[in-house]
Amino acid sequence: MGAINGREFLQRLDSTPRELWYGDEKITGSVSSHPAFKGVARSLAALYDMQLKPELRDLMTYRSPTSGDPVGLSFMQPHTKEDLAKRTAMMKAWADYSGGIMGRTPDYLNSSVMAMAAAKEFFGRDGRDYAANIERYYEHVREKDLLLTHTLINPQSNRGAGPSKQADPFIAARVVEKNSGGVTIRGARMLATLPMADEIMVFPSTVIRSGQDDMPYSIAFALPVSAKGLKFICRESFASASTYDHPLASRFDEQDAVVVFDDVIVPWERVFILEDPERANRVNEGTDAIAFMAHQATVREVSKVEFVAGAVTLVAETIGADQFPQVQEKISEILLTAETMRAFIRASEANARVNRWGLMTPDYVPINSARNLWPKVAPALSTVLKQIGASGLMAIPPEEILSTKVRPDVDRYYQAKTTDAEERIRLFKLAWDLAGSSFAGRQDLYERFFFGDPVRMASAYYSWYDKEPYKERVKELLHRKE
Ligand SMILES: Cc1cc2nc3c(=O)[nH]c(=O)nc-3n(C[C@H](O)[C@H](O)[C@H](O)COP(=O)(O)OP(=O)(O)OC[C@H]3O[C@@H](n4cnc5c(N)ncnc54)[C@H](O)[C@@H]3O)c2cc1C
């Protein structure tokens, strides 16, 4: 089958049964027509369409090593630096489509499953052939071009205690039974962005304690979203029908859902880690999936900073604020972030090495630094837009005002230095959707947390970073004799 187009994606979305709850509604009809999903479904379809456009085909796809069909390039296992550069170009093309707003374009998890399959030996063959399972799963996802979501963390009940020590040991998803048919899972996970995916990967985060009681929570598996007993409970949608009023929320609200496993049976061939805290805790680093996911994320982040830089510069120019030094200084902050994140990608590719699983892997030092820096610099994107847009971000009447009898007032009082009223309102609505709307609030939270808790990530970074050469230099000077 190979790479799909947008129509095939939408058909699959609407024909795959799933238990998707939106408020008091269990969505039974077409997901792609539902107001909460319509906009993002179209955007995802547009991404899939890009794969098969004749002029983009070579950028977006490569030949499947098994079928020879064109398949998505984010599935490509890189063996050379040229392969890595191809992955970057493909990922940037997808990221640019949404100005880096869509965090979960399919390449994010495609990169993960691609790296894990190369590292199949990590998963082992203890009793069951988990190595073969992950390899087969990767090929299945690649050949069918399946859209993946994933869920890593347990419900936020009591973070002061491990999963087995919660008020109810079945709050966090865990194994309840194993038999010849597979493994039965009960409990919940939060959170899964993109519940309109075809499949869900349930993987451990790296904070599972290794006590005996926590063993049933140390699991990794994947399932079709149609699996019996699997439920997705969605948050309130931020999507809007108007692309004028909410240019981003109307197109890119990826939705987030809590995932409930109501005695879901995972067939053995879909199990990758079972009751193995040691492997569960190391899966991302041990397979280098983290390096490839961080590589994709950083490419997307560059796209986003570039988009915000464009928006904030237009806002400043539109109202003639671009001449003020403090405005220039704030925009420069965004430009510096763009250059910094881009430099991390360049460095990770220039110093890439073949890992022990045979993949040309982005150098982890710069790409892990990008991963840790991003949650600290991303909040400035919306802050600077607010500082420069100021009250203009509230002078954004709904689209309908343009066809009322106050239109002459709107044309007169909303005009700006470089644009007429309609265009100025359009731009400032975009700025609000980037910086202050409920959609923007979710974006801000996403950038802070999507790769994990930045506090614990920074602590892990501190422990991992080789500080010895720096200390040695100081010690040498302290004891220098001349
Ligand atoms: C918009 C959005 C989309 C997301 N999408 C996905 C997704 O698709 N799939 C997925 O798996 N995850 C997703 N996540 C979840 C993301 O992985 C988590 O937000 C992240 O791992 C942090 O976990 P938490 O939110 O449970 O925070 P918590 O762990 O509950 O932390 C809450 C606060 O307590 C502190 N804290 C908690 N425990 C400790 C500790 N042991 N030591 C020190 N401080 C601690 C934290 O620093 C933080 O300040 C998403 C998150 C957001 C916001």
Side-chain angles (χ1 to χ4, degrees):
M1 179 175 186
I4 57 168
N5 62 26
R7 187 179 39 78
E8 288 165 310
F9 163 71
L10 292 171
Q11 270 169 1
R12 196 153 69 191
L13 172 62
D14 287 340
S15 61
T16 304
R18 69 189 78 207
E19 198 166 335
L20 194 57
W21 283 91
Y22 187 76
D24 62 0
E25 180 191 5
K26 183 177 156 188
I27 301 175
T28 48
S30 153
V31 176
S32 71
S33 321
H34 191 280
F37 298 99
K38 195 174 174 176
V40 71
R42 270 196 212 147
S43 297
L44 285 162
L47 295 179
Y48 283 114
D49 274 340
M50 283 171 72
Q51 298 194 119
L52 297 178
K53 283 194 175 142
E55 68 277 19
L56 295 179
R57 220 178 155 111
D58 288 347
L59 178 72
M60 306 302 297
T61 63
Y62 75 113
R63 293 255 158 235
S64 159
T66 51
S67 66
D69 292 336
V71 287
L73 205 135
S74 56
F75 290 112
M76 185 176 75
Q77 296 185 316
H79 297 293
T80 63
K81 289 189 179 179
E82 289 69 36
D83 288 347
L84 255 192
K86 280 187 186 171
R87 288 183 56 84
T88 304
M90 179 271 158
M91 297 187 297
K92 185 70 167 46
W94 260 0
D96 282 345
Y97 175 79
S98 68
I101 303 297
M102 290 176 78
R104 295 300 162 88
T105 49
D107 45 334
Y108 182 63
L109 288 172
N110 293 354
S111 300
S112 165
V113 76
M114 173 283 289
M116 287 186 189
K120 62 183 177 182
E121 296 306 332
F122 171 90
F123 293 87
R125 302 174 197 275
D126 319 339
R128 307 265 169 186
D129 196 347
Y130 299 120
N133 287 356
I134 192 76
E135 184 174 46
R136 211 179 310 110
Y137 185 66
Y138 158 64
E139 289 180 4
H140 171 69
V141 173
R142 181 189 70 202
E143 295 303 315
K144 293 216 155 38
D145 211 1
L146 297 175
L147 176 60
L148 303 177
T149 179
H150 74 158
T151 184
L152 306 175
I153 53 164
N154 296 324
Q156 203 178 36
S157 272
N158 175 5
R159 286 291 187 250
S164 62
K165 301 289 184 297
Q166 301 289 312
D168 169 350
F170 290 97
I171 291 178
R174 55 168 282 176
V175 174
V176 278
E177 199 192 339
K178 290 167 277 182
N179 58 36
S180 57
V183 180
T184 305
I185 305 290
R186 186 184 305 160
R189 278 287 178 96
M190 73 171 207
L191 198 62
T193 300
L194 222 55
M196 62 289 257
D198 298 305
E199 293 257 343
I200 182 162
M201 291 175 74
V202 181
F203 267 71
S205 78
T206 50
V207 288
I208 290 173
R209 289 147 212 227
S210 44
Q212 198 62 22
D213 293 345
D214 290 328
M215 294 280 273
Y217 303 90
S218 308
I219 41 178
F221 57 89
L223 284 169
V225 291
S226 57
K228 191 161 174 285
L230 191 58
K231 298 174 199 160
F232 294 88
I233 303 177
C234 298
R235 64 160 163 77
E236 183 185 352
S237 171
F238 304 131
S240 150
S242 168
T243 52
Y244 182 86
D245 284 335
H246 302 282
L248 304 179
S250 59
R251 295 177 168 106
F252 306 130
D253 184 13
E254 295 172 293
Q255 185 56 252
D256 308 287
V258 167
V259 189
V260 176
F261 300 83
D262 212 348
D263 285 359
V264 175
I265 297 171
V266 184
W268 281 111
E269 65 271 18
R270 289 302 193 89
V271 178
F272 311 125
I273 296 175
L274 183 66
E275 297 178 332
D276 186 344
E278 204 269 325
R279 272 203 180 87
N281 282 338
R282 287 190 308 115
V283 63
N284 285 316
E285 280 81 7
T287 60
D288 280 336
I290 197 157
F292 285 97
M293 291 169 86
H295 186 226
Q296 186 280 347
T298 312
V299 171
R300 198 266 309 166
E301 288 153 8
V302 167
S303 196
K304 182 162 185 178
V305 190
E306 290 171 349
F307 189 75
V308 173
V312 74
T313 306
L314 281 171
V315 164
E317 287 175 359
T318 299
I319 57 171
D322 54 315
Q323 61 190 294
F324 304 123
Q326 87 281 5
V327 169
Q328 295 167 351
E329 189 255 354
K330 288 186 196 324
I331 298 177
S332 298
E333 198 183 320
I334 307 282
L335 299 173
L336 287 168
T337 299
E339 290 306 318
T340 307
M341 301 308 286
R342 196 176 295 122
F344 281 134
I345 296 174
R346 282 275 175 89
S348 78
E349 291 177 6
N351 300 337
R353 275 192 217 100
V354 175
N355 72 0
R356 76 199 117 134
W357 316 110
L359 292 192
M360 180 59 75
T361 307
D363 185 10
Y364 196 50
V365 175
I367 216 66
N368 191 28
S369 302
R371 187 170 84 97
N372 274 273
L373 186 68
W374 179 248
K376 300 185 197 316
V377 295
L381 304 182
S382 53
T383 303
V384 170
L385 267 164
K386 284 183 199 155
Q387 286 167 326
I388 297 175
S391 68
L393 295 172
M394 290 297 99
I396 47 172
E399 186 176 10
E400 292 77 23
I401 199 85
L402 299 173
S403 42
T404 65
K405 64 179 186 189
V406 298
R407 173 72 192 245
D409 292 324
V410 173
D411 283 340
R412 183 169 190 189
Y413 299 119
Y414 287 72
Q415 66 176 290
K417 182 184 168 199
T418 59
T419 61
D420 64 17
E422 187 172 345
E423 204 51 28
R424 174 233 172 87
I425 297 171
R426 190 191 296 278
L427 174 67
F428 275 68
K429 277 178 183 288
L430 174 89
W432 182 241
D433 232 5
L434 271 176
S437 67
S438 47
F439 177 79
R442 187 265 177 200
Q443 282 278 306
D444 180 68
L445 200 65
Y446 182 83
E447 303 301 3
R448 288 170 193 256
F449 282 104
F450 82 92
F451 228 130
D453 170 21
V455 174
R456 276 169 282 168
M457 273 166 52
S459 180
Y461 183 85
Y462 171 81
S463 306
W464 159 83
Y465 197 100
D466 181 10
K467 302 171 286 295
E468 286 310 312
Y470 308 157
K471 283 161 54 185
E472 285 307 318
R473 221 172 298 156
V474 174
K475 285 184 198 163
E476 187 275 322
L477 189 134
L478 285 176
H479 300 286
R480 206 178 282 172
K481 295 288 182 264
E482 74 276 16

